[in-house]
Every structure is written in structure tokens, then in C-alpha cells.
């Protein structure tokens, strides 16, 4: 048994919060109450002065496994996740070989079982991520895929996208989309504007994202699929999602589609059009100015854009248009990131800095309440994937994070195998003191 006592608990799903103890036995929460007394020996964590919340859920991570162990593997990625307060992650499928078949999927899921946290994985939408032929989506779903994505390579064939949405809708599973049209991009990872002008290159225009976001929202409304617009970067994309969600609400109210409620892998999910959007900590914190300052360490797809775009993302998070925060944890080696700006790969690590950035940039600055931040980093992403995670309740999973919202974090000394991030050296608020997964302490700092 594990007793967590003296902490201030926040459950974003039920809205319950207060000075409450939590008792976990055999991986599940068995009691939530003030001043729990446990007879006999029991492992305890004294959470005096700390917030106790559901273990965080990141539905967009790249653990580079199989194929790129010099960048990250399932075990090092999981340790970085635990240090950041995450107890559940969903890996992307752009590995080598890609996760477009049952054997590769089962391999990564099996190896994820002994990491100490819950490691899930998406499967690919198309074979070989070539955008031409759908994977055996039903077989992959039955083998344990959490959802489907070709993240890293946009899907350009609208017919393939429609068929993927229809198949995923029939399986009651989400499809996640990387929205950038390469036909409009001269140099990816750098915004076409001030940053591209600084480097003397063509860059990546906002229209590349807007075009595919608009297409996929339209197809989602037509097919009734659950879709996930990943790492929004442009203010126009935020507004498109806002309008689509309003249209979705009208459809549900009018009873045109999606009657009733169905059981979906452990959660109650309305059988209607479901549109979700994601923001990353780097997109709600930085602008293209960071690429000029940090070079390739701030190069990512889609790129950091203008201050007006960052403000739109902040507003989208505040009003619920953007309902998920995910890291897009993307490790690369020092050698790779040391290349010329046009040749260095895009992406940054994020699991160990995400909570502190959320607290510092969103809560401390008044954009979100702490409960709203935790909802967007746990309950919301878990619900989209139908995961039994992201909440605190008796009978629920014993997955928690204990953190000091005012504790100073100096970014650096990463557990991840990689260190490619512009946030190294930043002083933030929000120190993770312990992470508990399945009733076991998988990370602790001084407790």
C-alpha cells in the first residue's frame, strides 16, 4: 500500500479538490479522504505544501524506437516522462520500421510494459507512411493500437484521408494529423517571415498549415470521425477549429448525427463528431524570434510563428478551442542539431519541461487556472484516446504526480538521451517532486 498524505488534491475531471489523503492498494486508489489512518506498515509520501494531481498524459511523443536508439529509446523516454510527471504516453508511429503492422506494434507495446509507466502507441494510417495504401486498421486496433497517425509526414490524398476517417470512425478510434502541405514549403521548420528573412531562406508559410487543417475539419464533419489536429501554430488554424467545434455542437444539438452514448475502451464518449486540437509548450511560449536567438534548437514543424499566433493559441487554450497540451517530444542528437539551419532536423524534447512551462506561462500569467491546465494535460488527452487515466477517484488508477507549483526549476540535466531544446538554462516554476504509476513511485526528488 501507498499513502499520500498532507497534500492538496486537484481532480480536474470531477472538480473535487482540497486537503485530502489518497490510499493506493494493488495499483488502484481505494480511498480518498481527510486524515486517512492506516493500521500497520504502509509506504507513505508526505505531500505537505504540494499539489497532488492525476498523472499527466502526453498523447504525442517520439521515442524513436525502433530505429534511432542514439536519440531515444522506449526506456529512456519513459524515464524522462516520469521525471516530468507523466504516467501515460502515446508514441507516434514514424519509427524505422514504421508501426504499420501488428508485429512491430506488439513489439513496442511489449517493451513498454517494463518501463514503470503506461506506454501506448499509435499505428500508422498508411503503409510505410507513403500516403497511398491504408494499413490494416482493424487488425492494428485489435492488437492494441491507441489510434492512428502518420505524424511527421502529412497526408496529401484527400480520398485516403476520407477513407481513413471512415474506418477509424467505425472502430471508434481517433486519427491524428500533422497539418503541413509540403507543396507550399521551401524550407521547413522556419516561419516564412522575419525568421526566414534573417536566415535568407524561403521558409514555411502559414498557408501550408491552414490548407490542410481546413480540409481535415471539413472531412471530419462529413464522416463523423474523431480527429486530432496536432501542434497548432497559426492563428487562422485556431479560428478554423473554433468554428468547426461550434458546427459540431450544432450538429449534436440538432440530432443529425451521433445519438446516444457508447462504451469506448473504458470511458463514456458521445458517438458524435469529435474534434480535438493540440498546442505544445513551445508554441504557446515562443515565437519566431526564438529561432533567430537559438538557431536549430528552436527549429520545429510546424514552425514557431508570430506573436499574434502565440496569442491566438493562448486564447484557444483559455476558451477550450484547444483542449489538449502535448509535448511533441522529439529527440535529436547534438551532431544533427549542429548542422546548418536548413539541414538540421526539426523538433525539440519536452517531457521534462512541459509542466513547468504550463505553470509558468499559463497559470502564473493568468491564462488558465491550475485545474484547467491539469485538465488539458491529463483528463482531456486521456478522454480523446479512451484511456483509463487522467483522473483521481476511488476505484481509479493509482497514477499521480506531486509537485510544488512555486518550486524553481532550472532546465537542464535531462533524463532524456537527447538535450535539444531552447529552454536549457531557463528558470521556471513548477517542480515535480514525485510521480506514482500503478501505485509505485517511479520518480522522486527529495521526498
Amino acid at each position: 500500500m501507498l499513502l499520500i498524505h498532507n497534500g492538496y488534491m486537484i481532480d480536474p475531471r470531477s472538480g473535487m479538490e482540497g486537503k485530502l489523503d489518497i490510499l493506493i492498494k494493488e495499483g488502484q486508489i481505494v480511498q480518498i479522504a481527510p486524515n486517512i489512518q492506516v493500521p500497520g506498515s504502509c509506504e507513505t509520501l508526505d505531500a505537505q505544501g504540494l499539489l497532488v494531481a492525476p498523472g499527466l498524459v502526453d498523447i504525442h511523443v517520439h521515442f524513436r524506437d525502433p530505429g534511432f536508439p542514439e536519440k531515444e529509446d522506449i526506456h529512456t523516454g519513459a524515464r524522462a516522462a516520469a521525471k516530468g510527471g507523466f504516467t501515460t504516453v502515446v508514441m507516434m508511429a514514424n519509427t524505422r520500421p514504421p508501426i504499420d503492422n501488428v508485429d512491430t506494434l506488439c513489439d513496442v507495446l511489449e517493451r513498454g510494459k517494463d518501463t514503470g509507466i503506461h506506454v501506448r502507441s499509435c499505428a500508422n494510417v498508411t503503409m510505410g507512411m507513403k500516403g497511398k495504401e491504408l494499413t490494416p486498421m482493424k487488425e492494428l486496433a485489435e492488437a492494441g493500437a491507441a489510434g492512428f497517425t502518420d505524424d511527421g509526414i502529412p497526408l496529401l490524398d484527400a480520398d485516403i484521408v476520407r477513407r481513413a476517417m471512415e474506418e477509424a470512425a467505425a472502430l471508434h478510434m481517433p486519427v491524428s494529423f500533422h497539418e503541413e502541405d509540403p507543396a507550399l514549403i521551401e524550407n521547413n521548420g522556419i516561419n516564412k517571415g522575419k525568421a526566414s528573412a534573417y536566415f535568407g531562406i524561403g521558409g514555411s508559410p502559414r498557408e501550408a498549415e491552414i490548407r490542410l487543417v481546413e480540409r481535415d475539419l471539413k472531412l471530419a464533419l462529413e464522416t463523423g470521425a474523431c480527429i486530432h489536429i496536432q501542434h497548432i501554430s497559426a492563428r487562422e488554424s485556431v479560428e478554423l477549429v473554433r468554428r468547426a467545434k461550434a458546427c459540431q455542437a450544432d450538429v449534436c444539438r440538432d440530432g443529425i448525427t451521433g445519438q446516444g452514448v457508447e462504451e469506448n475502451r473504458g470511458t463514456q464518449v458521445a458517438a458524435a463528431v469529435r474534434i480535438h486540437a493540440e498546442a505544445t509548450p513551445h508554441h504557446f511560449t515562443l515565437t519566431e524570434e526564438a529561432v533567430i536567438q537559438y538557431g536549430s534548437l528552436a527549429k520545429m514543424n510546424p514552425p514557431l510563428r508570430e506573436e499574434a499566433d502565440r496569442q491566438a493559441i493562448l486564447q484557444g487554450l483559455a476558451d477550450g478551442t484547444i483542449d489538449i497540451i502535448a509535448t511533441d517530444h522529439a529527440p535529436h542528437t547534438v551532431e544533427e542539431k549542429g548542422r546548418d539551419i536548413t539541414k538540421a532536423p526539426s523538433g525539440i524534447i519536452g517531457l521534462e519541461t512541459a509542466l513547468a512551462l504550463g505553470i509558468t506561462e499559463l497559470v502564473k500569467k493568468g491564462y488558465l487556472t491550475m485545474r484547467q491546465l491539469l485538465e488539458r494535460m491529463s483528463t482531456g488527452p486521456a478522454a480523446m484516446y479512451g484511456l483509463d487515466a487522467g483522473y483521481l477517484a476511488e476505484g481509479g488508477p493509482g497514477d499521480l504526480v506531486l509537485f510544488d507549483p512555486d518550486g524553481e526549476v532550472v532546465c537542464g540535466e535531462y533524463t532524456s538521451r537527447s538535450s535539444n531544446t531552447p529552454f536549457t538554462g531557463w528558470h521556471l516554476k513548477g517542480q515535480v517532486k514525485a510521480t506514482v504509476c500503478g501505485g509505485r513511485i517511479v520518480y522522486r526528488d527529495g521526498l
Side-chain angles (χ1 to χ4, degrees), residues 201-283:
I201 59 177
S204 174
R206 61 201 314 105
E207 290 79 14
E209 174 178 293
I210 297 163
R211 176 183 290 186
L212 294 191
V213 168
E214 188 170 28
R215 179 200 69 183
D216 292 341
L217 291 172
K218 180 176 182 292
L219 289 172
L221 289 168
E222 292 173 359
T223 61
C226 173
I227 72 162
H228 171 216
I229 305 296
Q230 296 177 317
H231 40 43
I232 278 184
S233 72
R235 54 189 180 271
E236 294 89 347
S237 300
V238 178
E239 183 58 28
L240 285 168
V241 171
R242 184 177 286 114
R243 292 176 184 175
K245 284 192 169 189
C247 182
Q248 165 189 284
D250 290 341
V251 167
C252 292
R253 280 195 297 269
D254 292 343
I256 297 171
T257 64
Q259 300 298 310
V261 174
E262 295 185 8
E263 185 73 16
N264 184 10
R265 300 195 310 282
T267 64
Q268 296 289 323
V269 179
V273 178
R274 287 168 287 152
I275 292 169
H276 302 272
E278 161 199 309
T280 67
H282 39 279
H283 283 109

Side-chain angles (χ1 to χ4, degrees), residues 282-338:
H282 39 279
H283 283 109
F284 67 63
T285 301
L286 303 172
T287 68
E288 62 181 338
E289 299 280 355
V291 189
I292 297 172
Q293 180 178 358
Y294 297 104
S296 65
L297 288 177
K299 179 185 178 183
M300 69 269 305
N301 298 334
L304 301 170
R305 300 201 191 272
E306 301 170 4
E307 176 62 16
D309 298 298
R310 191 181 77 89
Q311 289 297 325
I313 291 168
L314 291 169
Q315 182 57 46
L317 284 164
D319 67 20
T321 297
I322 300 173
D323 50 354
I324 291 167
I325 293 172
T327 67
D328 191 13
H329 178 80
H332 292 294
T333 65
V334 172
E335 184 276 329
E336 288 174 310
K337 278 294 191 177

Side-chain angles (χ1 to χ4, degrees), residues 87-371:
T87 54
T88 301
V89 297
V90 178
M91 297 188 297
M92 297 295 96
N94 59 336
T95 52
R96 186 181 297 168
I99 305 176
D100 61 2
N101 62 88
V102 169
D103 286 346
T104 303
L105 174 64
C106 290
D107 171 59
V108 298
L109 293 178
E110 187 63 30
R111 287 189 289 122
K113 290 178 180 178
D114 63 355
T115 61
I117 68 168
H118 307 296
V119 176
R120 304 292 303 274
S121 181
C122 282
N124 292 121
V125 176
T126 66
M127 296 300 299
M129 300 181 66
K130 295 180 179 179
K132 302 296 184 183
E133 176 189 358
L134 290 181
T135 57
M137 295 172 75
K138 186 173 186 294
E139 291 179 22
L140 289 162
E142 291 171 347
F148 301 96
T149 185
D150 276 6
D151 178 44
I153 299 181
L155 291 165
L156 302 180
D157 187 327
D159 181 61
I160 281 283
V161 173
R162 178 184 290 277
R163 290 196 286 125
M165 286 190 187
E166 290 171 344
E167 180 73 10
L171 294 168
H172 305 293
M173 297 181 72
V175 188
S176 296
F177 290 98
H178 182 126
E179 306 286 39
E180 288 188 289
D181 187 342
L184 302 181
I185 298 172
E186 186 173 340
N187 306 100
N188 68 15
I190 307 296
N191 184 51
K192 184 176 178 61
K194 185 176 183 179
S196 63
Y198 175 84
F199 290 106
I201 59 177
S204 174
R206 61 201 314 105
E207 290 79 14
E209 174 178 293
I210 297 163
R211 176 183 290 186
L212 294 191
V213 168
E214 188 170 28
R215 179 200 69 183
D216 292 341
L217 291 172
K218 180 176 182 292
L219 289 172
L221 289 168
E222 292 173 359
T223 61
C226 173
I227 72 162
H228 171 216
I229 305 296
Q230 296 177 317
H231 40 43
I232 278 184
S233 72
R235 54 189 180 271
E236 294 89 347
S237 300
V238 178
E239 183 58 28
L240 285 168
V241 171
R242 184 177 286 114
R243 292 176 184 175
K245 284 192 169 189
C247 182
Q248 165 189 284
D250 290 341
V251 167
C252 292
R253 280 195 297 269
D254 292 343
I256 297 171
T257 64
Q259 300 298 310
V261 174
E262 295 185 8
E263 185 73 16
N264 184 10
R265 300 195 310 282
T267 64
Q268 296 289 323
V269 179
V273 178
R274 287 168 287 152
I275 292 169
H276 302 272
E278 161 199 309
T280 67
H282 39 279
H283 283 109
F284 67 63
T285 301
L286 303 172
T287 68
E288 62 181 338
E289 299 280 355
V291 189
I292 297 172
Q293 180 178 358
Y294 297 104
S296 65
L297 288 177
K299 179 185 178 183
M300 69 269 305
N301 298 334
L304 301 170
R305 300 201 191 272
E306 301 170 4
E307 176 62 16
D309 298 298
R310 191 181 77 89
Q311 289 297 325
I313 291 168
L314 291 169
Q315 182 57 46
L317 284 164
D319 67 20
T321 297
I322 300 173
D323 50 354
I324 291 167
I325 293 172
T327 67
D328 191 13
H329 178 80
H332 292 294
T333 65
V334 172
E335 184 276 329
E336 288 174 310
K337 278 294 191 177
R339 297 171 188 165
D340 178 83
I341 192 71
T342 60
K343 296 181 174 62
S346 294
I348 71 172
I349 61 170
L351 285 163
E352 297 170 67
T353 56
L355 179 59
L357 283 166
I359 292 170
T360 303
E361 296 295 325
L362 301 178
V363 177
K364 299 292 186 183
K365 294 183 179 180
Y367 295 105
L368 296 180
T369 65
M370 184 64 74
R371 187 190 300 178

